[in-house]
Amino acid sequence: MIVTLATHTGKQPLFSVAERRSHIEAATKSMSRVEVGECRGLLVNFAKEQGAVAIVRGVRAVSDFEYEFQMALTNRKLAESITTVS
């Protein structure tokens, strides 16, 4: 499993990429099959490069569902072999 840090230049996150990477690495250090990756472009392209078969995205609120549904449809058009799960 690859936990992916996606960067978006238009957003101002609370933690820097380095800080987020550090937090994720600390939280997953006992999980030998988990690695941390960084994505600067489309997540679906990163997933293809890594040979992934699925993208798992979190939905924080019901209002996120429509956006995530559209994202899953777009990802399917860009990479039919990768399933997006929200």
Side-chain angles (χ1 to χ4, degrees):
M1 176 191 303
I2 303 170
V3 177
T4 307
L5 295 167
T7 58
H8 186 290
T9 56
K11 292 185 177 181
Q12 297 292 331
L14 180 61
F15 298 105
S16 69
V17 172
E19 290 169 320
R20 288 187 287 159
R21 175 181 277 278
S22 178
H23 293 307
I24 294 167
E25 287 173 343
T28 61
K29 68 181 173 188
S30 65
M31 301 173 194
S32 62
R33 297 183 62 176
V34 174
E35 60 185 83
V36 181
E38 290 182 33
C39 171
R40 297 196 191 314
L42 291 177
L43 180 58
V44 71
N45 290 340
F46 178 79
K48 280 196 289 191
E49 291 168 7
Q50 300 302 313
V53 296
I55 297 171
V56 179
R57 295 179 52 93
V59 176
R60 295 169 296 279
V62 173
S63 60
D64 291 343
F65 181 78
E66 180 63 31
Y67 173 80
E68 293 297 335
F69 182 72
Q70 293 301 320
M71 183 69 66
L73 292 176
T74 301
N75 287 347
R76 187 182 322 163
K77 288 180 182 178
L78 296 172
E80 290 181 3
S81 63
I82 300 174
T83 301
T84 301
V85 180
S86 297

